[in-house]
Each structure stands twice: as structure tokens, then as C-alpha cells.
């Protein structure tokens, strides 16, 4: 210990130890100078050690501080930035200007215009609930929803988006603090409700919700921009546009604005006149598949988004499924002609409008006797159509149903297109072929019907309907857009198509479509009337009908196809009564608009009025009150009919021979059926007048008319040796009414096998052991 009672300083101890070491080595004490120098050296060493220690401590402190700064600035930077942005600023997407939708002539159907939108900076608003209440009273929005949004976002919230001029001016007149305005693109439809279902609608965020706006939303929307709204420490807001929006592509449709107006105007008039609940008119170019007009009722104004109802949004032209009725007889007859199973002049016995097929009685709307094939189509005889279908057979019939595009989508560029309702042959019942031949137990859409008619007008080639011509870059200079037709396929030969055009002309001239006669133009088409299914009962309604007419004009060089469908007309409801006049008005105006040359001389007005006055609505009736098959919905849902299926034979003679009558030319009796010339173009009947109107066959007042009649009716099969059950089934297959006497095996029958009787005739069979 030292003199102060403590331990010697470490330095002093070191000096003493060094002195001892020196004595031991040299044997003498060190000199005063050496001792002094040694002590100085060691003193310096002590000071350096303290400096090193202090430096190490400072270095460690710097490393810790720097490490913390690096951790905060690098690793936690993203989290702090997001937290700051959440507290001080908000990212607002800037909607891009949607592309313009043009008609085929370059007229705008849909475009975007810049309008004011009101937003609030909640931190600037002194009384937020009051301000929101005042604004929502003007806009009609839900106050609670707007207020909740503003409370969740301290820096920015919309209070009135894309309002009209009156709404924005009323909000501005409130002069509320913290309420500001921003320009945004708003979708605008210059023609209001014109082609509304085709164009569709967009939402508040400019996303397509229906129609073309939805189908081509990605192309039309473009790319949205970004705007940041920030609030500083003084609660002052400022905005910064980080990314400018990029406009979307423009679209060009096949629609012609003027033809669309004609179609919608006449459809609206028809809805008013008939009190129908809905309707559709389609105008198509049969050679290219271009849709020139597509009108629907009910409709809506896409500019008034809040007034749109779900029912009005439905594009019935592509989404509505209905039973076509007699228009489907075109498929039945054309298929039989193509398969060389009949010809336009072959005469069928329509049995005074009644036939029994597989135990089901089917009647025409009025009695018909002997009718040629073109007369079956003109008078819309269900009995005649059934006999033709039986000759065709199920498999071949179904092949043509598919070939005409039924049971599959057409591929038109519109959302929500239906395939329709069809069944494969394996699911047909014993009466399906009879029902489908006259347009029952099958569901189609209006666009499919237009495609069927276009096939006949286009020389037997089916062309997929199209409504989009092409796309145009947003900044591109105006240019012509070339239209490329869709897929096509041949369904029937040119010769068969010519035969069908000639027969369809007779429908207009002499049959149920006489109200479709045009002035100065030939026309051809087919009427259709079908009962609707009552949703309450699941059975066919006795008061609700679908009346339709589809046709084309002119006859030899068709320029347009027009399909008209009216749903549930009140009073007169037959297709020839309510839809054919709409076809006439639309086709007449469209042909004149397209400057189509007349192919008939214009008749004096008084003759037209006289001809119209002679038309009786009762003469235009068609359709059967009987329904051999199941209702459309039931037929599609029930895969297996409750009635055992018996395939219909392709050979018509097993179902009953057709009565054929040929009028031999005596004196001046002319031939009446339609013929086809060498150029595959339909010609008017030989007894047509000067204006091309076919006159009915008139017998001479004197002389002899010889009828060469083949034995017809139903050939009675042999029941001998059959059981009671087997005989009943055979009688049902033949369309006969069987009376069984006794039990066991059939021993006798009357009339005998091989004789010919009328359909539904009574046959007695005696059974014994």
C-alpha cells in the first residue's frame, strides 16, 4: 500500500517492477535520467491507451447509431412511407377516355366527354355531416354511404361523380369549404336510346356492363392514370398527376344509324298498335352477315343510368329463346328438297286439316285438302309439314337442323348469346318429329332465324352474322375500315335455294304473308305463330302468342333480310297479321334508303289500297291448336319422354302413302306450281299475272277435267298373330284407332291388311285363344 493507505497506481507498480528487472540484469540501480526517461515513456503509453479506449467507445457508438439509421431508412422505409401516405395522401385513379363507337358511316354512337366531379377533403370541411347532407339532397345518393366513405379517407372522397351541369352548378352554389372539383370523362350516347342493347352501358368507374361496351371493355377502356392528393401540416391539399391516362381504341360497327332508326321507329309503332309486351327487328345483309340494324323493345336510355331496369337491358335478339312455329317449316321442306325426297309440285293430301300420328291428333288452323309442297308452305299446313318430315326421317332432319345453326351460337360479337334449345335424336319422343317439323318442341333465337332466311337468300350458304367491322387506333387519322365476313358453310345447293326462294315468294303473294307485299319490289318470306308456355301452369297458354315474319327482298338479288318477332300481341296475334306489316314498312324504307333498283313496276295507289282492303285477317291465320310434343321448357329438361320412343321410319310409305293428284291439261287449264329456270333462279308460276302475282288455279267452266289419283291414305297393317299389346302399338304407329275384341292372339281384322283408310280410321281386330 502507498503512503495514502491505498494500493500503488498501476503505472508506478510497473515502474518499480521494471527497476527490479534492471537491477537483476545489470547488478546496479538505474540512473536518475534513465529512470526518468522510462517513466515518461510509460506515462505516454498510458495516455495512448486511454485515447484508444475512448476511440473504440466512440466507434462503437457510431456503428450502433449508423446501424439503427440504416435499419430505419432501408429496412423500415417502405412501411413508414405507406403509413405517411395513408395519413397524408391518397392515390386516385384517373379514368382513361373510352374509345368512340362508330356506326358503319363514321357517325358516333357512343363517346366520352369531360364533366365535373365533386370531391371533398374531409380535413378541410368544418362540419362534414352537414356538408354531406346538403350534397346528397342534390344528387339523391345515400347520405350514410357517402359520409362513411369520407370518414374512412381523411384526405379525399368523392361526393358527386360525373353529375350533369345542373347538379354541379347547384353544388358549387353551396360554396362549401373543403369541396373541390375535378374533370372526368363520362360516357355519352348522342342518339339516346338508339341501339341501346347493342351498345350497352358502363358503370361509374367506366367499366363496360353490357352490350358492346362489355364485350370489348379491354379495348375501349384504355389505361387509367394516377393522381395523388396530399395534405400538408397546415391541412392544405395539393394534387400531383403521376401518370396520364391513355385513351382506348375506337370501334366501328356494321350498324347503319339510319337503318337502325327505321327499324326502331317501326317496332315502336308495332308495339303501340298491337300492345305486345316486347319485340325484335333485325336487318341483315344476307351475303356478308353484316347486321345493319338490331332493335329491341322494351329499351332504355343509357345516359340515364338510374332509370335502367334489368328487363330493358336484355338483348332479346341474341338472348331470347322461343318456339319458332311455322317459320321452322322452311327447315323441314328445304331438307326434303335437298335430299330429293319431294319437289315443289308434288301434291300432298292434308286430310282436311287433321292427322293422327302415334295416337296424337294434330289439326291445321283451317281445313286443307290437296296441296302441292309450295302450297303447304304458302298456307302453312301443319299436316303437310308433318308428312314431309316423316318422309325425311329423324336422323336426316336433325342433320339439317344443326347445319342451319340451331342449337349452337352464331358467334356474333355480343355478350349473352344463347344456343337455343334442341335435343339430339336419341332424346326425341315418338311425336317429336311431328312437333319439330312445325316449329314446336325446339327453341331458337331471333338472330338464328335471320341466319336461316339469309341462307336461302345467299344461294344456300350460311354466313355467320357479325356486328363489328373493325378497330381503329385512338390517335389514328380517319380511315376506311374493311369488313371481313365470318365463317360460312354450304347447307343446301343453289338449285334447292332457288326452289325455296320461289316458294317463299308464294307465301307473300298467295299465302299467309300477303301483308308483306312491297311496292316496286318482289319479296319472299315466311310467317310463324307459336303459343307461349304459361309459367304458372307449365302448359301452353291459350292467350299468349309469338307472332313472327322473316323474309328478304328483292327476290332475285336479295339486298336485305328482315326478321320481325312480336311477343304477346293483344287481339290479332298471328305472324301474318301483326309481324308481316312491320316487315313491309321496314323493308320498303330500307330498300329505298339503299337506292335499290325496283324490280317491279309501281302499281297505282288505288290498286294497292283495293288489294289491301280485300285481305282478310282470318285468311292469314296459321298454326295448330294442338301440341303433340311437350312444352319447350319441359321438352328440354326431360331428357327421356314418358312415352317410349319408337323411331320414325325414313320411308314414308310405312307411315302412309301420300295422295298425289296431277291435273291433266285439258283445254286451257294452266299449271300452277313454282318452277326453276336453267339459271337456278326462281320463276313465278306459269299462271302469274303481268305484275308477277300468282293467280290461283281456275278450272274451266266447261269441258272435262280428269284426275289421275294414286290410292292414298294410310295402309292398314296386318294384325294377325299379334297380341293385344302388339296390335295396339302397331295401330298407334300407323295412326289408326284400334278396337280390340276378345283376348289372346289376333284372328281376324276389319278392314283387311293392305287396304287404305284415312288417318285415325277405326279398325276392329278379333282376338282368340
Amino acid at each position: 500500500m502507498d503512503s495514502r493507505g491505498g494500493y500503488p497506481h498501476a503505472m508506478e507498480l510497473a515502474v518499480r517492477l521494471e527497476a527490479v528487472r534492471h537491477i537483476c540484469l545489470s547488478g546496479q540501480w538505474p540512473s536518475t535520467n534513465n529512470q526518468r526517461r522510462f517513466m515518461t515513456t510509460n506515462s505516454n503509453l498510458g495516455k495512448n491507451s486511454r485515447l484508444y479506449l475512448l476511440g473504440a467507445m466512440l466507434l462503437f457508438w457510431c456503428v450502433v447509431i449508423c446501424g439503427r439509421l440504416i435499419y430505419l431508412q432501408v429496412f423500415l422505409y417502405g412501411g413508414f412511407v405507406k403509413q405517411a401516405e395513408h395519413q397524408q395522401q391518397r392515390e386516385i385513379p384517373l379514368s382513361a377516355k373510352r374509345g368512340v363507337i362508330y356506326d358503319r358511316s363514321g357517325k358516333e354512337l357512343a363517346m366520352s366527354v369531360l364533366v365535373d366531379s365533386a370531391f371533398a377533403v374531409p380535413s378541410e370541411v368544418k362540419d362534414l355531416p352537414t356538408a354531406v347532407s346538403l350534397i346528397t339532397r342534390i344528387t339523391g345518393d345515400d347520405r350514410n354511404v357517402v359520409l362513411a366513405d369520407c370518414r374512412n379517407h381523411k384526405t379525399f372522397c368523392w361526393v358527386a361523380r360525373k353529375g350533369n351541369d345542373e347538379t354541379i352548378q347547384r353544388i358549387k352554389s353551396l360554396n362549401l369549404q373543403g369541396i373541390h372539383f375535378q374533370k372526368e370523362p363520362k360516357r355519352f350516347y348522342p342518339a339516346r336510346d338508339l341501339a341501346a342493347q347493342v351498345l350497352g352501358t358502363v358503370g361509374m368507374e367506366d367499366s363496360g356492363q353490357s352490350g358492346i361496351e362489355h364485350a370489348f371493355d379491354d379495348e375501349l377502356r384504355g389505361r387509367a392514370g394516377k393522381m395523388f392528393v396530399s395534405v400538408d401540416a397546415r391541412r392544405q391539399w395539393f394534387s400531383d398527376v403521376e401518370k396520364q391516362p391513355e385513351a382506348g381504341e375506337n370501334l366501328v360497327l356494321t350498324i347503319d344509324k339510319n337503318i337502325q332508326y327505321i327499324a326502331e321507329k317501326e317496332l315502336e309503332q308495332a308495339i303501340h298498335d298491337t300492345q305486345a309486351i316486347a319485340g325484335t327487328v333485325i336487318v341483315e345483309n344476307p351475303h356478308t352477315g353484316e347486321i345493319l340494324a338490331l332493335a329491341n323493345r322494351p329499351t332504355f336510355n343509357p345516359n340515364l343510368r338510374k332509370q335502367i331496369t334489368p328487363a330493358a337491358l336484355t338483348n332479346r335478339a341474341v338472348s331470347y329463346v322461343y318456339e319458332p312455329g311455322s317459320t321452322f317449316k322452311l327447315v323441314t321442306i328445304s331438307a326434303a328438297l335437298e335430299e330429293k325426297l319431294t319437289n315443289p309440285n308434288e301434291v300432298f293430301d292434308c286430310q282436311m286439316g287433321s292427322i293422327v300420328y302415334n295416337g296424337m291428333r294434330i289439326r291445321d288452323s283451317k281445313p286443307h285438302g290437296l296441296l302441292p309442297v309450295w302450297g303447304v308452305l304458302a298456307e302453312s299446313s301443319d299436316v303437310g309439314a308433318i308428312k314431309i318430315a316423316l318422309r325425311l326421317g329423324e336422323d336426316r332432319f336433325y342433320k339439317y337442323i344443326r347445319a342451319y345453326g340451331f342449337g349452337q351460337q352464331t358467334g356474333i360479337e355480343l355478350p349473352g348469346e344463347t344456343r337455343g334449345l334442341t335435343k339430339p335424336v336419341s332424346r326425341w319422343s315418338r311425336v317429336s318429329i311431328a312437333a319439330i317439323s312445325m316449329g314446336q318442341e325446339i327453341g331458337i333465337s331471333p338472330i338464328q332465324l335471320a341466319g336461316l332466311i339469309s341462307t336461302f337468300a345467299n344461294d344456300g350458304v350460311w354466313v355467320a352474322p357479325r356486328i363489328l367491322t373493325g378497330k381503329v387506333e385512338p390517335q389514328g387519322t380517319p380511315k376506311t375500315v374493311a369488313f371481313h365476313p365470318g365463317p360460312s358453310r354450304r347447307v343446301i345447293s343453289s338449285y334447292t335455294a332457288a326452289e325455296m326462294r320461289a316458294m317463299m315468294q308464294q307465301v307473300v303473294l298467295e299465302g299467309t304473308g300477303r301483308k308483306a307485299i312491297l311496292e316496286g319490289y318482289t319479296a319472299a318470306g315466311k310467317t310463324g305463330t307459336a303459343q307461349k308456355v304459361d309459367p304458372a301452369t307449365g302448359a301452353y297458354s291459350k292467350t299468349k302468342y309469338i307472332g313472327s315474319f322473316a323474309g328478304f327482298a328483292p327476290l332475285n338479288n336479295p339486298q336485305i333480310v328482315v326478321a320481325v318477332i312480336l311477343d304477346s300481341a293483344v287481339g290479332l296475334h298471328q305472324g301474318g297479321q301483326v309481324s308481316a306489316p312491320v316487315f313491309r314498312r321496314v323493308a320498303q324504307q330500307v330498300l329505298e334508303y339503299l337506292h335499290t333498283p325496283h324490280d317491279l313496276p309501281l302499281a297505282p295507289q288505288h290498286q294497292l289500297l283495293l288489294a289491301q282492303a280485300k285481305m282478310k285477317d282470318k285468311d292469314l291465320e296459321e298454326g295448330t291448336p294442338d301440341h303433340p310434343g311437350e312444352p319447350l321448357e319441359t321438352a328440354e329438361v326431360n331428357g327421356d319422354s314418358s312415352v317410349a320412343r319408337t323411331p320414325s321410319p325414313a320411308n314414308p310409305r310405312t307411315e302412309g302413302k301420300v295422295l298425289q293428284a296431277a291435273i291433266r291439261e285439258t283445254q286451257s287449264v294452266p299449271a300452277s306450281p313454282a318452277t326453276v329456270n336453267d339459271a337456278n333462279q326462281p320463276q313465278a308460276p306459269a299462271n302469274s299475272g303481268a305484275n308477277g302475282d300468282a293467280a290461283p288455279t281456275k278450272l274451266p267452266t266447261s269441258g272435262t277435267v280428269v284426275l289421275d289419283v294414286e290410292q292414298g291414305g294410310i295402309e292398314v297393317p296386318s294384325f294377325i298373330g299379334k297380341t293385344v299389346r302388339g296390335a295396339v302399338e302397331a295401330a298407334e304407329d300407323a295412326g289408326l284407332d284400334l278396337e280390340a275384341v276378345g283376348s289372346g292372339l289376333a284372328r281376324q281384322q276389319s278392314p283387311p291388311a293392305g287396304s287404305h283408310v284415312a288417318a285415325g280410321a277405326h279398325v276392329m281386330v278379333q282376338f282368340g285363344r
Side-chain angles (χ1 to χ4, degrees):
M1 297 179 64
D2 59 8
S3 59
R4 292 171 292 183
Y7 291 98
H9 195 274
M11 186 62 68
E12 295 177 359
L13 180 60
V15 172
R16 291 174 183 176
L17 291 175
E18 182 64 24
V20 172
R21 187 181 66 81
H22 181 75
I23 293 172
C24 293
L25 293 176
S26 61
Q28 60 181 356
W29 288 95
S31 64
T32 305
N33 291 335
N34 289 336
Q35 183 178 359
R36 219 180 262 159
R37 185 172 58 252
F38 179 79
M39 294 179 65
T40 301
T41 301
N42 286 280
S43 177
N44 290 335
L45 289 173
K47 291 180 180 179
N48 290 338
S49 298
R50 287 194 293 271
L51 290 175
Y52 291 152
L53 180 61
L54 179 60
M57 293 176 63
L58 290 175
L59 179 62
F60 176 76
W61 181 80
C62 290
V63 171
V64 172
I65 295 299
C66 291
R68 179 63 176 172
L69 290 175
I70 292 174
Y71 177 71
L72 295 176
Q73 294 292 330
V74 177
F75 295 100
L76 298 183
Y77 174 79
F80 287 131
V81 169
K82 291 181 180 179
Q83 185 176 356
E85 290 177 352
H86 179 74
Q87 295 175 350
Q88 300 176 6
Q89 70 177 11
R90 183 180 176 187
E91 178 183 329
I92 307 300
L94 294 179
S95 300
K97 188 175 182 181
R98 288 180 71 87
V100 181
I101 301 178
Y102 298 98
D103 81 334
R104 64 188 299 112
S105 301
K107 300 175 183 176
E108 293 91 346
L109 297 175
M111 57 193 298
S112 294
V113 295
L114 291 178
V115 297
D116 282 320
S117 291
F119 67 91
V121 179
S123 59
E124 293 183 3
V125 181
K126 293 182 179 180
D127 188 352
L128 186 60
T130 302
V132 171
S133 296
L134 292 174
I135 293 174
T136 53
R137 287 178 185 175
I138 298 174
T139 61
D141 295 330
D142 190 326
R143 171 187 177 276
N144 295 328
V145 173
V146 177
L147 183 59
D149 182 60
C150 290
R151 284 176 172 170
N152 292 333
H153 303 91
K154 300 294 184 181
T155 58
F156 181 96
C157 67
W158 292 110
V159 292
R161 293 199 67 183
K162 303 178 182 180
N164 54 40
D165 292 339
E166 180 184 358
T167 299
I168 296 300
Q169 290 302 323
R170 291 179 63 184
I171 295 175
K172 287 181 177 180
S173 65
L174 297 176
N175 197 23
L176 297 173
Q177 184 178 355
I179 304 299
H180 308 278
F181 299 89
Q182 170 71 29
K183 291 288 186 181
E184 281 193 296
K186 178 182 179 181
R187 205 59 167 165
F188 176 66
Y189 302 87
R192 295 180 291 278
D193 60 351
L194 191 75
Q197 285 85 1
V198 173
L199 299 175
T201 60
V202 298
M204 188 61 70
E205 299 296 338
D206 272 355
S207 60
Q209 296 182 334
S210 64
I212 291 292
E213 299 277 20
H214 174 71
F216 295 91
D217 187 49
D218 292 338
E219 293 83 350
L220 289 168
R221 290 188 72 173
R223 297 183 179 180
K226 292 182 181 180
M227 181 182 72
F228 291 97
V229 177
S230 303
V231 178
D232 60 16
R234 297 181 181 180
R235 294 189 174 183
Q236 298 295 321
W237 76 279
F238 60 93
S239 62
D240 178 37
V241 177
E242 180 178 291
K243 180 182 178 182
Q244 292 291 346
E246 299 178 11
E249 291 183 303
N250 301 329
L251 300 181
V252 181
L253 305 184
T254 62
I255 294 291
D256 187 299
K257 188 175 181 180
N258 294 328
I259 297 178
Q260 181 73 26
Y261 172 77
I262 293 172
E264 295 206 8
K265 179 190 67 173
E266 296 302 337
L267 178 59
E268 184 69 31
Q269 185 63 45
I271 294 293
H272 177 269
D273 294 341
T274 65
Q275 298 299 304
I277 62 174
T280 299
V281 172
I282 299 174
V283 182
E284 180 180 352
N285 183 328
H287 306 294
T288 62
E290 294 173 278
I291 301 298
L292 304 178
L294 195 153
N296 290 280
R297 287 296 184 275
T299 188
F300 61 92
N301 185 348
N303 294 318
L304 306 176
R305 203 164 27 235
K306 295 182 180 180
Q307 300 179 12
I308 299 175
T309 62
L313 281 171
T314 303
N315 190 343
R316 297 174 65 91
V318 298
S319 302
Y320 184 61
V321 179
Y322 73 102
E323 288 188 343
S326 294
T327 54
F328 207 76
K329 291 170 184 171
L330 295 170
V331 178
T332 306
I333 294 176
S334 64
L337 291 176
E338 182 67 14
E339 293 293 329
K340 305 296 189 292
L341 299 175
T342 187
N343 61 77
N345 302 329
E346 182 179 2
V347 178
F348 281 78
D349 180 12
C350 296
Q351 303 174 186
M352 298 310 295
S354 178
I355 187 174
V356 175
Y357 178 67
N358 281 339
M360 301 291 296
R361 181 172 295 279
I362 305 169
R363 295 167 293 172
D364 283 331
S365 60
K366 52 188 175 183
H368 298 293
L370 302 178
L371 286 178
V373 172
W374 65 266
V376 169
L377 188 67
E379 296 296 334
S380 199
S381 170
D382 294 326
V383 175
I386 291 171
K387 289 190 172 185
I388 294 173
L390 293 177
R391 182 177 294 186
L392 182 63
E394 293 177 341
D395 291 330
R396 285 186 290 191
F397 192 13
Y398 183 72
K399 181 185 73 172
Y400 283 93
I401 291 174
R402 298 291 294 181
Y404 279 115
F406 299 109
Q408 52 199 312
Q409 293 180 334
T410 64
I412 190 171
E413 305 93 335
L414 288 171
E417 184 186 7
T418 179
R419 295 183 294 108
L421 297 175
T422 59
K423 298 184 297 184
V425 176
S426 60
R427 293 172 54 195
W428 286 17
S429 69
R430 291 187 306 168
V431 294
S432 289
I433 189 171
I436 296 174
S437 69
M438 56 186 184
Q440 296 179 6
E441 207 175 299
I442 188 170
I444 71 171
S445 66
I447 196 69
Q448 290 175 334
L449 176 62
L452 170 66
I453 304 301
S454 295
T455 303
F456 303 129
N458 193 34
D459 211 27
V461 178
W462 180 91
V463 180
R466 289 293 178 261
I467 202 166
L468 178 68
T469 298
K471 305 173 185 177
V472 181
E473 293 296 328
Q475 305 299 332
T477 57
K479 61 180 181 180
T480 301
V481 180
F483 173 78
H484 301 284
S488 62
R489 60 178 177 269
R490 177 166 292 282
V491 181
I492 56 177
S493 65
S494 299
Y495 188 84
T496 302
E499 289 180 316
M500 290 300 300
R501 289 197 296 269
M503 289 190 293
M504 292 169 70
Q505 184 185 29
Q506 298 308 306
V507 176
V508 175
L509 295 178
E510 299 185 22
T512 56
R514 280 172 284 176
K515 286 193 174 182
I517 295 177
L518 303 179
E519 299 179 29
Y521 297 102
T522 53
K526 183 68 185 80
T527 57
T529 307
Q531 287 178 272
K532 294 180 62 177
V533 176
D534 189 345
T537 63
Y540 285 99
S541 171
K542 296 183 179 180
T543 58
K544 303 295 183 182
Y545 296 85
I546 301 289
S548 59
F549 183 91
F552 56 87
L555 178 68
N556 294 325
N557 185 24
Q559 297 298 304
I560 57 170
V561 165
V562 180
V564 181
I565 297 93
L566 294 177
D567 187 350
S568 303
V570 178
L572 296 177
H573 56 269
Q574 299 282 332
Q577 298 168 345
V578 296
S579 297
V582 182
F583 167 88
R584 184 187 70 246
R585 298 196 299 266
V586 172
Q588 189 74 46
Q589 296 177 67
V590 172
L591 290 173
E592 299 288 358
Y593 168 75
L594 295 176
H595 303 291
T596 304
H598 290 172
D599 60 345
L600 285 179
L602 291 174
Q605 188 67 23
H606 70 277
Q607 292 186 9
L608 295 175
L609 295 176
L610 182 61
Q612 293 176 6
K614 291 182 178 180
M615 292 184 191
K616 297 180 179 180
D617 290 319
K618 188 175 182 180
D619 296 336
L620 306 179
E621 292 181 353
E622 62 180 341
T624 175
D626 307 302
H627 299 278
E630 295 176 305
L632 180 60
E633 287 81 356
T634 307
E636 179 63 19
V637 173
N638 297 339
D640 298 326
S641 175
S642 59
V643 181
R645 177 182 175 273
T646 302
S648 299
N651 187 351
R653 300 185 185 278
T654 61
E655 285 296 329
K657 295 183 178 180
V658 179
L659 178 63
Q660 298 179 337
I663 302 179
R664 295 180 177 178
E665 293 185 1
T666 58
Q667 298 182 0
S668 60
V669 181
S672 63
T675 58
V676 179
N677 63 6
D678 294 337
N680 291 335
Q681 294 294 340
Q683 300 292 324
N687 61 329
S688 299
N691 61 351
D693 294 345
T697 303
K698 295 182 179 179
L699 297 178
T701 56
S702 61
T704 303
V705 177
V706 180
L707 295 181
D708 189 5
V709 181
E710 176 186 348
Q711 189 175 15
I714 294 179
E715 181 178 359
V716 178
S718 175
F719 298 100
I720 304 302
K722 295 183 180 293
T723 63
V724 175
R725 180 176 180 178
V728 171
E729 290 178 349
E732 287 181 353
D733 291 342
L736 300 174
D737 184 15
L738 179 71
E739 179 183 358
V741 179
S743 60
L745 300 178
R747 300 301 182 186
Q748 295 180 353
Q749 70 177 69
S750 179
S755 58
H756 291 76
V757 296
H762 183 78
V763 177
M764 184 179 68
V765 179
Q766 185 174 359
F767 295 85
R769 297 292 180 181

